[in-house]
Amino acid sequence: MKSVSAEEAVAMIPNGASIMVGGFMGVGTPERLLDELVRQKKADIALISNDAAVPGKGVGKLFEGGQVSRMIGTHIGLNPKAQQQMLANEITVDLIPQGTFVERIRAGGCGLGGVLTPTGVGTLVEQGKQRVEVNGKTFLLETALRADFALVHAFLSDYVGNLSYALTARNFNPVMAMAADTVIVTAEHIVPVGVIAPDHVVTPGPLVDYLVVNG
């Protein structure tokens, strides 16, 4: 794990990268990294995020800058800008049931090929997907999701990158930290090793590649 500034962290992300961003409607989202993505004008981003947030908050900032070319998520209903871009065919949006979304990411982090789920059978969701029969019940094969980068926000990080999350910010961040080639973390507080009790560590340090320094 290496400590870097937000500017250095984002400079490593090329245009066209696939990026997972933790958070739910901006809660638990690494705002400093998103601000830096906007400042550095990173373009053609393939965004994997639960939602499109709202204008001016969280990943919503990326839509305002026209920086997203594709989004994989569960809804965009509270971001008019994302909706406009989708309807104008400026971005591609893949909407996925929320449970399926997080399980596909979890599968990507665990080295699995995908998951079997009954959600979507007999609906538009199943188009183009493999149907699998198990014990007389039909499931859809949903393939694993991974990304080039995961941008993760934690409440606590120690000096070697062990992470602990607060309340609902512990949503998509832990699974995304397992499902990307490079994991970049911001934290509310960076503390000495030992301050986070071992059984309170949710994301262990070896999963973290870069920790953004505070201050």
Side-chain angles (χ1 to χ4, degrees):
M1 196 276 299
K2 182 179 180 182
S3 296
V4 294
S5 66
E7 182 178 0
E8 290 171 325
V10 171
M12 294 184 287
I13 301 175
N15 291 336
S18 57
I19 304 175
M20 287 182 175
V21 181
F24 187 106
M25 296 309 300
V27 177
T29 297
E31 296 285 354
R32 282 191 293 156
L33 290 173
L34 292 169
D35 288 341
E36 191 61 25
L37 280 168
V38 172
R39 193 187 73 81
Q40 294 190 24
K41 295 182 171 63
K42 298 294 183 175
D44 194 26
I45 294 170
L47 176 67
I48 302 172
S49 175
N50 175 67
D51 50 73
V54 294
K57 185 173 183 180
V59 297
K61 301 169 186 175
L62 301 178
F63 293 95
E64 291 179 13
Q67 296 171 262
V68 177
S69 61
R70 181 186 183 194
M71 179 183 173
I72 301 174
T74 72
H75 69 94
I76 60 171
L78 296 180
N79 191 326
K81 194 71 174 178
Q83 295 174 42
Q84 292 164 10
Q85 291 173 0
M86 180 184 75
L87 293 173
N89 293 319
E90 295 171 359
I91 62 173
T92 301
V93 177
D94 298 334
L95 293 176
I96 304 171
Q98 192 171 71
T100 302
F101 175 75
V102 72
E103 285 302 315
R104 288 180 65 185
I105 295 171
R106 196 188 314 277
C110 294
L112 303 177
V115 293
L116 296 179
T117 175
T119 303
V121 172
T123 73
L124 291 173
V125 172
E126 78 169 29
Q127 290 185 359
K129 295 175 183 173
Q130 183 178 341
R131 292 165 61 107
V132 179
E133 301 287 333
V134 180
N135 294 328
K137 189 171 182 180
T138 302
F139 296 85
L140 298 181
L141 173 61
E142 295 279 3
T143 56
L145 270 179
R146 288 189 59 84
D148 300 324
F149 294 87
L151 308 185
V152 170
H153 186 69
F155 180 66
L156 294 177
S157 172
D158 65 20
Y159 297 155
V160 295
N162 294 309
L163 307 180
S164 179
Y165 304 90
L167 303 174
T168 54
R170 182 177 172 174
N171 41 45
F172 300 96
N173 281 296
V175 290
M176 288 180 173
M178 295 180 63
D181 298 337
T182 301
V183 177
I184 303 171
V185 172
T186 61
E188 298 290 333
H189 306 283
I190 300 175
V191 298
V193 175
V195 170
I196 306 174
D199 59 339
H200 290 172
V201 171
V202 178
T203 298
L207 293 175
V208 176
D209 297 293
Y210 297 96
L211 175 64
V212 176
V213 295
N214 289 340

